Amino acid sequence: MLIDQFAAYVGQQAHAPLPDDVQHHARRVVIDWFAALLAGVPMAPGQQLATAHQQEFGVGHSSVIGRATTAFPALAAWVNGSVSHAAEFDDIFRDAVYHPGCPTIAAALALAEHRNASGADLLRAVVAGYEVSTRIGAAIQPAHYRYFHTTGTVGCIGAAAAGALLMAPGNAEVAGHAMATATTFASGLQQAFRSDAMTKALHAGHAAQTGVLAAQVAAHGVTGVRDILEGDAGFGAALCGSANWDIATEGLGSAYNVTRITQKNHGCCGHTFAAIDAAMRIVRDHALDTAKIAAVRVHTYQVALDVTGNFTPTTPFEARFSLPYVVAHGILRGAVRLDAFEAQRLADPSIRALMQRITLTADGELSAAFPRQRAARVEIEMADGQRHAHFAPYRLGDPEAPLDDAMLADKFMELAAPALGTVKAAGLLDALWRLDERPVRDLGLHALRAG
């Protein structure tokens, strides 16, 4: 059964040395997760979760990051997982249409602190969670994404794999039961993307919390259904109809998906990135006078339009999922970072005017290539009739054009320094680059307060 194959891998991964490049990429995804989380601390739903659970803080060893307190592992994972998804700077595994870091790292960190694990063990747990969940996610796409948010569904399984490695290192039996139990609690509906409600971010926190709880109870004898993935009434049948399970274990333990993660360069929905990149490239390459743009034509894949085709965003959340808004902002401001969603930018008449000159078209070939390619072709027409076009076959931050270590560090400092101050942010970044050299508790995360 598939769960047994994944469980054998998780059991073996607990004590196997990671190849140097895999360990380096594991550090990179942890650093990127912290950047996304620290950017999200002052945002909804983090503030609301902190208020709702304040009487449950101050116990245990698992840090509620940015609030200078602790909680028991499941609650810490719930809060940190949700907060890390709030700012839309979290990582992506393209083939699965999935943000693996939010649930996997939130769960792994909570249990690593709880168990006083080493940084090296945390990295092994993160890798295990990424490898299991990205493969399951890829096997159920694109059908799964029609109704379900992969981060909320598959994220439960990744979190459970990471958690089991920390709760019972080397015990494949525990890993199998943890993943099987978590799978039956997988949830998260696409409708949550389509309003200003806070639910979408909670999907990641719920997945992290589910993984923690499943790992804890499996370590104490609670069993799960071993054919929960491929059974007649199991995960694949219910949540995608016809999964391609043949690819689910391909390369497991030898070819590491953690080395092929997309790390965001823009603070919005990843479906918009190729169009932003192409539009900004045209403006830069041709030194365009943006005041003289007559029309912007975006051709991309259908799912991008389904999720982000909103021409009338009124809130920061809606703007992050508005392809016209972020493309217009990128053209006029040269970037789409946190300040793109401040009130004055949302009301900027020049951005709103340019949005009305943007048209969106679904391209058949690009739609057919989804999810393994996220491409866009943009044409900008000037008032004098000149036209300039660019095709972006992938996004900056994708495996084909990754953010290098320096760019990743710059992103971390941009997002973390406002929360922690420059000195503390730089210190945390240095410690995370050397995470495998110390126990996780030595990072002092329980004392970090975001200002």
Side-chain angles (χ1 to χ4, degrees), residues 5-388:
Q5 294 179 65
F6 287 123
Y9 160 71
V10 174
Q12 181 271 338
Q13 185 66 79
H15 301 299
L18 293 172
D20 289 346
D21 67 320
V22 174
Q23 183 151 298
H24 182 71
H25 280 278
R27 288 192 292 264
R28 281 171 53 90
V29 299
V30 170
I31 288 168
D32 201 46
W33 178 80
F34 270 93
L37 181 145
L38 289 166
V41 168
M43 299 180 179
Q47 299 280 30
Q48 290 80 2
L49 292 179
T51 301
H53 294 290
Q54 59 184 334
Q55 293 183 335
E56 301 167 75
F57 292 158
V59 295
H61 295 284
S62 301
S63 301
V64 182
I65 298 171
R67 304 200 181 274
T69 191
T70 57
F72 291 131
L75 178 56
W78 160 246
V79 176
N80 292 337
S82 299
V83 170
S84 65
H85 199 38
E88 292 293 337
F89 266 111
D90 45 328
D91 66 8
I92 302 166
F93 184 69
R94 183 175 57 198
D95 293 4
V97 204
Y98 169 47
H99 302 280
C102 297
T104 302
I105 299 174
L109 179 65
L111 285 173
E113 290 186 300
H114 174 68
R115 301 280 291 174
N116 197 21
S118 68
D121 285 340
L122 172 61
L123 292 176
R124 277 191 281 269
V126 167
V127 170
Y130 270 62
E131 297 311 310
V132 168
S133 59
T134 55
R135 283 171 169 78
I136 294 172
I140 59 174
Q141 300 298 5
H144 181 75
Y145 199 68
R146 182 179 179 189
Y147 296 113
F148 296 100
H149 183 199
T150 320
T151 303
T153 56
V154 172
C156 293
I157 310 171
L165 187 149
L166 290 160
M167 285 299 301
N171 191 323
E173 191 75 10
V174 167
H177 288 304
M179 290 184 287
T181 295
T183 301
T184 202
F185 294 106
S187 62
L189 295 171
Q190 279 278 342
Q191 196 65 31
F193 290 27
R194 304 182 186 193
S195 79
D196 195 37
M198 302 176 196
T199 311
K200 177 178 181 285
L202 299 180
H203 290 171
H206 171 261
Q209 181 185 48
T210 295
V212 166
L213 292 172
Q216 287 181 307
V217 299
H220 289 86
V222 172
T223 61
V225 181
R226 303 305 278 262
D227 61 349
I228 193 69
L229 290 173
E230 71 270 45
D232 290 343
F235 182 87
L239 274 65
C240 83
S242 181
N244 181 8
W245 292 127
D246 289 342
I247 69 171
T249 56
E250 185 178 339
L252 183 63
S254 59
Y256 288 85
N257 285 344
V258 75
T259 66
R260 301 193 300 114
I261 297 297
T262 295
Q263 285 157 329
K264 288 187 173 185
N265 189 49
H266 309 298
C268 49
C269 178
H271 294 309
T272 68
F273 287 8
I276 297 171
D277 291 341
M280 289 172 54
R281 175 73 176 269
I282 294 169
V283 172
R284 183 174 64 250
D285 285 357
H286 299 281
L288 298 185
D289 181 349
T290 57
K292 297 180 180 179
I293 292 175
V296 180
R297 302 179 183 94
V298 177
H299 300 261
T300 190
Y301 52 97
Q302 182 64 55
V303 169
L305 305 190
D306 293 342
V307 176
T308 68
N310 180 5
F311 276 86
T312 57
T314 59
T315 66
F317 179 88
E318 290 175 350
R320 286 184 171 91
F321 286 81
S322 168
L323 182 55
Y325 178 82
V326 296
V327 167
H329 191 285
I331 287 172
L332 295 177
R333 298 288 183 167
V336 185
R337 308 296 271 204
L338 287 177
D339 61 359
F341 307 101
E342 294 175 354
Q344 62 185 25
R345 294 288 176 85
L346 291 175
D348 187 329
S350 63
I351 294 175
R352 294 290 171 165
L354 182 56
M355 288 171 64
Q356 300 313 306
R357 298 196 289 275
I358 294 174
T359 57
L360 308 178
T361 302
D363 180 284
E365 290 186 8
L366 300 184
S367 297
F370 175 84
R372 288 171 175 78
Q373 183 184 38
R374 312 292 181 84
R377 184 174 64 256
V378 175
E379 179 184 79
I380 296 180
E381 182 176 347
M382 305 303 290
D384 63 4
Q386 290 189 51
R387 296 183 179 186
H388 307 280

